[in-house]
Amino acid sequence: MAAEPTYAAPSAGRLFFALWLPPACSGVLHAMAGAMVGRSGGRLMREDTLHLTLAFLGDIAEKRLPALTELADGLSLPRVPVRLDRLGFWAHNHILFAGSTAPAPALVALADSLQETLKEAGFLAETRAFVPHVTMLRKLLHPGKLPPLPAQEWEAEEIALVRSWRSDRGAAYETVARWPLHAAVNA
Ligand code: 2AM
């Protein structure tokens, strides 16, 4: 007897939660990365795609998307300060990034809390240690001496759930939904 054909469940794509950068900050990072491409090569991330990933879910089945957005609807997460004050290079994946010498504990707590909730609901298989960073260039082989980064600081006011896929022009992103982070309540 012929075997029943099997069909993969339709996928919602590769999903991640992230903080998007304010335009002034992405402008600075993009300009610096552009200057480095001229000297050292690498593939420039588009200015409007610069982000800081809080939790990476990977491929999620389309039918699980409502449960995921419902879960995020129920979150109550605070606004957090973000400070990017150094450039870094990872030789293992050829990424140039903007990072923090001392990430704000509130930012780390936000990512930890989001990851924990997602893990408990079965949306995260494994979690890497959270290293807050904004990827500026990919496929960079020889970065040379990295210039200093004028500190970029802002308060993140919302998180985004984003779908990514590969296109001819590199990674393409589509925002699935956004949720506000709540302002601190003064005692
Ligand atoms: P990267 O820029 O350091 O590659 C979309 O791919 C986003 O998810 C990017 O910010 C990417 O980080 C991040 N990402 C991809 N795979 C990941 C993984 N396994 N763990 C954590 N973040 C990941």
Side-chain angles (χ1 to χ4, degrees):
M1 197 171 77
E4 286 287 312
T6 54
Y7 301 100
S11 167
R14 281 157 49 95
L15 300 180
F16 60 100
F17 282 94
L19 304 176
W20 239 249
L21 271 56
C25 173
S26 36
V28 170
L29 297 190
H30 187 259
M32 286 186 87
M36 284 193 66
V37 169
R39 286 197 305 274
S40 314
R43 206 186 72 221
L44 189 60
M45 297 289 290
R46 282 208 330 270
E47 188 171 337
D48 62 330
T49 66
L50 294 178
H51 65 274
L52 189 158
T53 293
L54 297 169
F56 180 77
L57 290 78
D59 246 304
I60 296 291
E62 185 75 48
K63 66 176 183 213
R64 299 186 73 200
L65 208 46
L68 178 60
T69 52
E70 205 172 297
L71 182 89
D73 287 343
L75 293 172
S76 174
L77 298 168
R79 292 182 186 173
V80 291
V82 186
R83 178 183 165 91
L84 303 173
D85 57 8
R86 72 178 190 99
L87 297 187
F89 173 69
W90 283 321
H92 71 279
N93 56 8
H94 310 296
I95 278 179
L96 174 84
F97 63 91
S100 305
T101 26
L107 171 62
V108 178
L110 172 69
D112 285 352
S113 152
L114 183 60
Q115 291 194 8
E116 202 46 51
T117 306
L118 292 166
K119 209 169 187 175
E120 276 168 17
F123 282 108
L124 278 192
E126 42 90 35
T127 50
R128 283 185 197 162
F130 174 62
V131 181
H133 69 281
V134 176
T135 296
M136 297 162 61
L137 282 181
R138 294 189 187 277
K139 301 191 175 178
L140 178 62
L141 295 181
H142 306 291
K145 189 171 163 22
L146 299 179
L149 172 65
Q152 306 295 309
E153 294 182 274
W154 75 96
E155 186 175 59
E157 295 181 356
E158 63 176 23
I159 58 172
L161 174 63
V162 180
R163 186 196 314 269
S164 88
W165 68 91
R166 310 218 181 281
S167 78
D168 308 345
R169 301 172 59 214
Y173 299 125
E174 178 199 352
T175 303
V176 175
R178 281 187 274 227
W179 292 266
L181 298 170
H182 62 75
V185 180
N186 291 321

